[in-house]
Amino acid sequence: MHSPEAGPAGPATPARDRHLALGAMVACQVGLHGCMQGVRLAAPLNVLKLGHSAWSVGLVMTMFALFPALLALPAGRLADRRGYHLPVRIAAFCSLAGTLLAAAQQNRFTLCAAAALCGAGAGFGMIAIQRSASRLARSDTDRLRVFSWIALAPALAGLVGPLLAGVLVDRAGFSAAFLALALLPSATLLVAQAVPREAPRPAPAPGTRQASAWGLLRLAPVRRMVFISWVVSASWDVHGFALPLLGVERGLDASALALVLAAYAAASMTVRLLMPLAAARLSRRTLLCGALTLTCAVFAAYPLFHSAWAMAACAAILGIALGLVQPAIMATLHDVTPPERQGEALALRSMTLHASMAVMPLLFGAIGASIGAAVLFWLMSFALGLGSIQARTIGPGQRI
């Protein structure tokens, strides 16, 4: 294992300050991600209320994934060079600008711009937050615990943002909802001050050629972890996309499908809450391989069941496995990447995931329409099996 580079709260920092910094990072990500999730709910509803077509809704939703993918590499390089505060300030101002623009004037153009800005803010900030969080860890076990806490942020944001937006859209209108969502990145700007500052990395000498971020993919462990991260992300998308199709094929009604999705959400949230407490007792490599293998098995078994209760049990197991695997992925990716280039590695991961989010639904739709939802589950099971095999080749602290 290589020890983390001194960061916003290095090994010599008292535990209390380290915990304060970690709590601030979780809160900052909740602010940015919650704002984006709230706009993801409000903007499409606003587009439909304005009388635009479903195509316009699709265009707005694409903006949330497109701009984080385009800005990921600059965000990663900036985080590596300047640390935590500047990237997070840029992220918060992007999200703030997006919500204020949508509140000021609501038309198709401004809502697309708001989606792009809020998506970019969430993606830009996430890279800096995850990179800096890894520098709070003093050991492999501690890094897994840190990322277990960080993994709570998207779950909390997915509750706070849409709930705030949905209630205010119904009671006070879209402008009020967007203005309320602007409070979340504003809070991020304030809370970020609790994170100790990191000394910026010296600028490269004039004429020095900067190494390409894509060169990181020549490192086999980094390449494998980016693939594993993509497979896990794709499995979330497949489950959300293909489950309704499979349910209709099985004759399940909307209430039964809601039960299945609720089982997934409840299990995922529960395991994320318990994970930080159990991290010290878990082997990161065993956790990574085991969770991928379990997810592979669940996807293979899903289409074999016709009962809503059996499918809900599968969904709960899937929620547990995917809730466990995310902190292990993040901790391992940081461990196999040179410390001075961890922001770039996170950027490659972010770019891959957001590009997948923009493209994969079209592919899922083509496969589901032509050969059925069950095949989507089995293809995903095969990909997860490959991911499990890749995970077994990554040894502790391997960085080649």
Side-chain angles (χ1 to χ4, degrees):
M1 184 197 76
H2 62 274
S3 59
E5 208 177 50
T13 305
R16 181 181 174 184
D17 292 345
R18 195 178 291 117
H19 294 157
L20 178 62
L22 178 59
M25 289 180 189
V26 171
C28 286
Q29 189 167 348
V30 169
L32 295 172
H33 205 84
C35 176
M36 187 266 290
Q37 292 283 33
V39 175
R40 275 179 70 93
L41 174 67
L45 294 176
N46 204 343
V47 168
L48 292 174
K49 186 181 178 182
L50 291 171
H52 296 298
S53 66
W55 182 88
S56 296
V57 173
L59 179 63
V60 170
M61 297 303 284
T62 299
M63 295 296 105
F64 286 104
L66 179 61
F67 276 77
L70 294 175
L71 295 175
L73 286 178
R77 290 194 180 107
L78 183 64
D80 280 334
R81 192 171 66 251
R82 297 294 298 272
Y84 180 84
H85 285 271
L86 179 59
V88 169
R89 279 201 300 271
I90 292 173
F93 279 121
C94 283
S95 298
L96 188 59
T99 51
L100 293 179
L101 179 64
Q105 186 174 10
Q106 288 143 35
N107 56 52
R108 186 164 50 185
F109 172 78
T110 56
L111 291 171
C112 282
L117 286 165
C118 292
F124 211 95
M126 180 185 67
I127 290 170
I129 290 166
Q130 290 174 341
R131 174 194 170 276
S132 296
S134 73
R135 283 152 165 74
L136 300 175
R138 294 162 294 180
S139 65
D140 267 355
T141 298
D142 204 25
R143 186 178 289 116
L144 182 59
R145 186 183 295 110
V146 163
F147 280 114
S148 298
W149 286 112
I150 290 293
L152 283 173
L156 292 173
L159 177 65
V160 171
L163 184 62
L164 180 63
V167 169
L168 284 173
V169 164
D170 287 339
R171 297 192 175 185
F174 285 100
S175 292
F178 289 123
L179 284 173
L181 289 169
L183 297 175
L184 296 176
S186 300
T188 292
L189 287 170
L190 295 175
V191 175
Q193 303 309 310
V195 179
R197 295 188 177 274
E198 179 180 350
R201 202 171 74 190
T208 302
R209 184 178 178 181
Q210 187 175 16
S212 168
W214 296 103
L216 283 172
L217 295 179
R218 297 193 187 100
L219 303 175
V222 174
R223 185 170 62 248
R224 290 172 185 139
M225 288 311 304
V226 170
F227 171 73
I228 290 168
S229 192
W230 170 77
V231 165
V232 169
S233 176
S235 70
W236 292 333
D237 294 338
V238 165
H239 186 255
F241 181 91
L243 179 63
L245 300 179
L246 187 67
V248 170
E249 291 177 9
R250 300 291 187 265
L252 301 182
D253 59 20
S255 298
L257 287 173
L259 170 68
V260 176
L261 290 172
Y264 171 83
S268 179
M269 176 64 80
T270 301
V271 78
R272 285 172 189 256
L273 288 170
L274 296 177
M275 181 71 175
L277 306 176
R281 300 175 177 84
L282 299 170
S283 160
R284 191 181 64 201
R285 186 168 182 269
T286 301
L287 181 62
L288 184 61
C289 296
L292 286 167
T293 302
L294 181 60
T295 308
C296 169
V298 170
F299 270 90
Y302 232 123
L304 305 179
F305 296 108
H306 291 71
S307 159
W309 289 105
M311 293 175 70
C314 283
I317 296 170
L318 187 65
I320 292 170
L322 292 178
L324 287 172
V325 78
Q326 187 66 23
I329 287 174
M330 297 307 301
T332 305
L333 180 62
H334 279 79
D335 195 43
V336 301
T337 306
E340 70 278 4
R341 302 192 68 188
Q342 286 171 345
E344 288 181 286
L346 287 167
L348 287 175
R349 173 183 175 273
S350 177
M351 186 166 55
T352 302
L353 300 193
H354 283 101
S356 175
M357 287 165 58
V359 173
M360 294 303 285
L362 298 175
L363 180 60
F364 296 157
I367 295 173
S370 58
I371 51 182
V375 176
L376 275 174
F377 279 92
W378 288 327
L379 287 174
M380 197 69 249
S381 177
F382 176 74
L384 286 159
L386 291 179
S388 178
I389 293 170
Q390 292 291 313
R392 293 174 199 280
T393 66
I394 301 174
Q398 180 183 5
R399 178 154 57 88
I400 300 172

